[in-house]
Amino acid sequence: MLDLTRKALGASEALLFALFNQAPISILILDPSGQATDANDSFRNARRIETNESLARLNVLRDTSCIRSGFTHLVEPAFRGRICKEYECSYICTETDPPDAVYNLTAFPVMESGSLQSVVVLEENVTARFNAEKKALHLSIFDPLTGLPNRQHLLDRIADRLAYMERYSAHDALLLVNIDRFKIINDARGNLAGDNLIMQSGRRLRNALREIDFIGRTAADEFAILLPLEGDTPEKNGLKILSAAERLRQTLLKPFLIDGENLPVTASIGITFFPEESATATGNRDTPHYALARASTALHRAKDAGGNQCAFFERGMGMNAKERFTVERELSEENAEDGFLLYLQPQVSRNGTVVGAECLIRWQHPVRGLLAPGSFIPIAEDSDLIVKIGEWVLRKACIAMTQIKDTQNNFRISVNISPRHFMKPGFKDWIIALFSEHSLHPSRIMLEITEGLFLSNTEVAIRKMNELVDLGFVFSIDDFGTGYSSLAYLKKLPLRELKIDKSFVQDAPDEPNDAALVESIIAVAQNLGLEIVAEGVETEQQADFLASRGDMLYQGYFFGKPVPAADLLSNLATQP
Ligand code: C2E
Ligand code: CA
Ligand code: CA
């Protein structure tokens, strides 16, 4: 068999030569002393060696970095006379054309009667495949938009850190940074603006961190940051981490330049440490998913408290994630509305007459009792559940108004409108149909909006407002002063009324700054011809302060807490 092959080869020496030289793979042949004896065209071309160049030149190649690593690991064993199988490796070669090409290297000994004849080195250019794999790997662990590690990468990193922590005592902090109201920005300004904001935020955060800190993007508007803690226990490190988190939050406060406009943004941060002490104490290992869930729970807490702040995960808070989920599920149920209750809080004039009321929803929960809106409205606002709630309240408000409009001709009712509900396509047609169904003039119900509505797509929001105002609808700006906007922007909005936020009202009598602010809000409102409602009036002193500053309506516990709608309406009937 061997002889036959030899004969066939002998008969086609020219073919063998052609095969050697034209093979699309580089071939280098070395003698047992390690001297290169031959190299084919592919090999020479890759290194720009003229065909007639001496073998001595090739010997030099053996020592170049290009194949040195390959020699050590795979060619040398072949020289040692061992019966070598194929050894393979990929390496990056800077001396070849193109530079930085990646080769697959195979070396094998050619044995003759038990002794080494030569060593053959095969080199295959696998750059394209290598780059494709590298790109695929990069895509699988990096976020294409920001170039930052993605969620999987983060989880892997936490897993690595946890494995390290099993052997060495160490702690890390995990921070989840989430841009407040990003969905609104994205929905209203468009995905490109949203992407732009994310890219800029990622860059700002990365620049604010040290080299050893890890930052990745874990969701559309969310970044995760790992901060290794030095020495101290997590408790002692708490303050340090809080100030680091605060610093990161501040870096996002400077307005972002997007589409030529300054976009002010706030962010919330949830913080946890790992490994979790209780997990390690009970012998249970902390896990990357559990760490992320804790940070996420803390983040939701920061959001529920109004956003624009940092919150630590605390034991027992684990309930909140579950609760959130439960609330969402329960609100989505068909008959959730059966538990909704309409409460009304009186709005009074200077002489104490109840002239109007604000609708405030309550939820009579089958297990948890009567719930204030703070425990479900923010959750509902994350999805279209808020539309269902908003529609329910407006419908009830219309019914209440039809009941009293004949006896209390000037009575006013206000309803809170969530930005998400307002911006929904079809809101305008829906609300027009609702009012006509109840034969109500649009001005009978004051629509309370917040500055949040203008944070995202100012133009569209104002246009929608104007369309409704043209039809007779009336708007009030709620919680005024807590947002981002200047007093100046009020001019652009077709408003009927302004509500001074309770935080200013409550501190105004004692805090000169708040007093000055309330005074300037009142002055601007008067200038623009807006009616004023002061919210959260709790004391006589506050009422007096306001009364001495201008004409307005008052709303607050001092005059009346929110009560079931039926109670307020029946009291009205008896009001002189
Ligand atoms: P808001 O629109 O600013 O409503 C005023 C909140 O301040 C009400 O809380 C009210 O009970 C409370 N309040 C009134 N007077 C005083 C006072 O003198 N002192 C203090 N400390 N608080 C006072 P509530 O009912 O818990 O509602 C909280 C928020 O939930 C509302 O704030 C509003 O943003 C939202 N909300 C309530 N009902 C609805 C609704 O039907 N739709 C929507 N979208 N949001 C609603
Ligand atoms: Ca309100
Ligand atoms: Ca308010």
Side-chain angles (χ1 to χ4, degrees):
M1 178 71 178
L2 192 69
D3 280 350
L4 273 177
T5 313
R6 241 186 238 287
K7 248 184 227 154
L9 288 177
S12 49
E13 229 167 70
L15 175 66
L16 187 63
F17 182 73
L19 201 130
F20 175 67
N21 269 328
Q22 292 171 31
I25 190 167
S26 296
I27 306 173
L28 175 69
I29 299 175
L30 304 157
D31 71 13
S33 71
Q35 301 292 304
T37 56
D38 208 352
N40 73 348
D41 288 352
S42 273
F43 190 93
R44 291 168 198 259
N45 290 342
R47 287 170 174 75
R48 296 193 201 88
I49 295 167
E50 301 301 323
T51 21
N52 57 2
E53 209 159 334
S54 70
L55 285 181
R57 173 92 170 85
L58 286 181
N59 290 337
V60 176
L61 281 174
R62 198 198 133 191
D63 297 323
T64 61
S65 66
C66 178
I67 47 179
R68 203 180 306 136
S69 60
F71 264 85
T72 324
H73 292 107
L74 113 180
V75 183
E76 272 177 4
F79 279 111
R80 272 184 247 119
R82 285 181 20 211
I83 299 182
C84 295
K85 291 188 185 140
E86 288 178 343
Y87 292 84
E88 253 186 73
C89 76
S90 296
Y91 59 98
I92 293 174
C93 184
T94 50
E95 289 137 9
T96 51
D97 184 24
D100 296 330
V102 181
Y103 291 87
N104 227 9
L105 204 67
T106 308
F108 57 95
V110 178
M111 310 296 287
E112 182 96 48
S113 313
S115 64
L116 182 72
Q117 279 298 303
S118 33
V119 165
V120 178
V121 180
L122 304 178
E123 254 185 12
E124 189 189 0
N125 187 327
V126 291
T127 314
R129 197 174 75 208
F130 178 86
N131 286 344
E133 282 169 4
K134 202 165 93 181
K135 195 169 163 203
L137 180 71
H138 194 273
L139 282 179
S140 71
I141 57 171
F142 284 91
D143 160 47
L145 181 65
T146 57
L148 294 173
N150 65 12
R151 185 184 159 87
Q152 186 54 47
H153 199 158
L154 169 84
L155 290 168
D156 292 348
R157 175 63 75 99
I158 300 176
D160 287 349
R161 292 291 295 160
L162 285 169
Y164 172 86
M165 289 159 180
E166 272 184 24
R167 284 179 293 137
Y168 307 98
S169 136
H171 282 94
D172 284 359
L174 168 63
L175 278 61
L176 272 189
V177 183
N178 189 294
I179 296 172
D180 295 331
R181 291 177 270 266
F182 176 76
K183 264 201 203 118
I184 302 176
I185 300 173
N186 209 37
D187 288 353
R189 295 228 167 171
N191 292 342
L192 276 182
D195 285 357
N196 192 344
L197 175 62
I198 291 299
M199 280 190 283
Q200 291 193 44
S201 310
R203 226 173 290 139
R204 278 196 201 174
L205 290 170
R206 176 70 269 181
N207 290 341
L209 294 167
R210 300 165 302 178
E211 199 55 40
I212 57 161
D213 302 330
F214 176 98
I215 172 166
R217 181 180 176 215
T218 44
D221 55 346
E222 199 161 282
F223 298 93
I225 292 169
L226 291 185
L227 302 175
L229 301 179
E230 287 133 16
D232 288 340
T233 58
E235 288 70 26
K236 283 198 188 146
N237 270 311
L239 269 182
K240 268 195 237 165
I241 289 301
L242 187 60
S243 76
E246 275 299 327
R247 208 168 28 77
L248 290 169
R249 197 177 62 72
Q250 303 277 345
T251 61
L252 297 179
L253 279 185
K254 203 174 131 239
F256 288 84
L257 187 65
I258 303 222
D259 297 339
E261 268 182 69
N262 272 332
L263 184 72
V265 160
T266 62
S268 303
I269 302 185
I271 310 166
T272 190
F273 293 107
F274 66 89
E276 232 283 82
E277 287 305 306
S278 69
T280 46
T282 56
N284 292 323
R285 288 200 196 132
D286 199 359
T287 68
H289 282 104
Y290 182 39
L292 208 54
R294 288 197 305 274
S296 174
T297 301
L299 174 67
H300 281 307
R301 206 179 47 208
K303 294 252 177 195
D304 288 348
N308 196 16
Q309 55 192 284
C310 304
F312 275 102
F313 174 83
E314 287 155 27
R315 242 154 264 156
M317 256 169 85
M319 273 294 292
N320 286 4
K322 241 195 191 153
E323 245 174 55
R324 229 187 130 73
F325 178 75
T326 312
V327 165
E328 252 168 22
R329 188 172 45 74
E330 289 173 343
L331 280 178
S332 331
E333 277 167 18
E334 191 95 28
N335 56 355
E337 291 176 1
D338 297 350
F340 294 165
L341 297 174
L342 185 73
Y343 271 52
L344 291 174
Q345 183 176 32
Q347 294 174 331
V348 307
S349 63
R350 184 185 280 257
N351 64 15
T353 315
V354 178
V355 294
E358 176 177 1
C359 295
L360 294 162
I361 191 173
R362 302 287 181 263
W363 185 18
Q364 184 65 54
H365 190 274
V367 181
R368 298 194 300 150
L370 189 65
L371 300 182
S375 63
F376 62 94
I377 291 278
I379 299 171
E381 278 178 329
D382 279 347
S383 70
D384 273 354
L385 287 173
I386 193 62
V387 176
K388 173 170 161 175
I389 292 175
E391 291 183 351
W392 184 91
V393 175
L394 258 171
R395 187 165 288 123
K396 289 285 171 195
C398 285
I399 294 170
M401 185 47 98
T402 44
Q403 285 169 4
I404 50 174
K405 73 172 194 273
D406 296 334
T407 49
Q408 303 277 328
N409 197 28
N410 291 321
F411 195 79
R412 27 165 297 148
I413 285 185
S414 307
V415 172
N416 294 288
I417 309 289
S418 281
R420 190 184 180 110
H421 188 195
F422 185 79
M423 294 307 276
K424 197 119 191 110
F427 174 82
K428 182 180 140 193
D429 292 342
W430 176 84
I431 199 170
I432 293 170
L434 179 74
F435 278 64
S436 88
E437 193 186 307
H438 291 92
S439 311
L440 281 180
H441 187 268
S443 66
R444 290 311 308 241
I445 291 180
M446 181 70 78
L447 306 177
E448 289 192 8
I449 50 164
T450 56
E451 288 166 82
L453 179 59
F454 309 102
L455 179 68
S456 38
N457 196 337
T458 320
E459 267 69 54
V460 176
I462 296 180
R463 199 184 62 226
K464 272 191 118 165
M465 272 179 84
N466 274 317
E467 287 169 6
L468 287 167
V469 167
D470 288 347
L471 295 167
F473 286 89
V474 283
F475 287 93
S476 170
I477 184 117
D478 197 4
D479 303 340
F480 191 78
T482 57
Y484 319 84
S485 20
S486 63
L487 291 169
Y489 102 137
L490 273 183
K491 271 208 298 275
K492 297 194 197 156
L493 309 180
L495 293 169
R496 165 75 59 93
E497 174 191 279
L498 178 152
K499 292 185 88 171
I500 308 175
D501 188 64
K502 52 180 169 287
S503 57
F504 305 115
V505 168
Q506 289 171 357
D507 295 333
D510 308 313
E511 291 277 338
N513 278 345
D514 285 301
L517 216 101
V518 167
E519 280 161 4
S520 61
I521 292 174
I522 291 171
V524 172
Q526 286 168 341
N527 238 315
L528 296 174
L530 301 180
E531 288 158 23
I532 304 172
V533 176
E535 281 194 293
V537 184
E538 291 183 348
T539 65
E540 192 166 9
Q541 197 197 7
Q542 289 160 1
D544 289 345
F545 172 90
L546 293 163
S548 67
R549 300 304 194 279
D551 197 22
M552 65 190 77
L553 297 184
Y554 309 88
Q555 183 182 341
Y557 295 167
F558 181 64
F559 298 100
K561 291 197 168 183
V563 292
D567 295 0
L568 188 122
L569 296 181
S570 63
N571 278 347
L572 264 190
T574 59
Q575 182 174 279

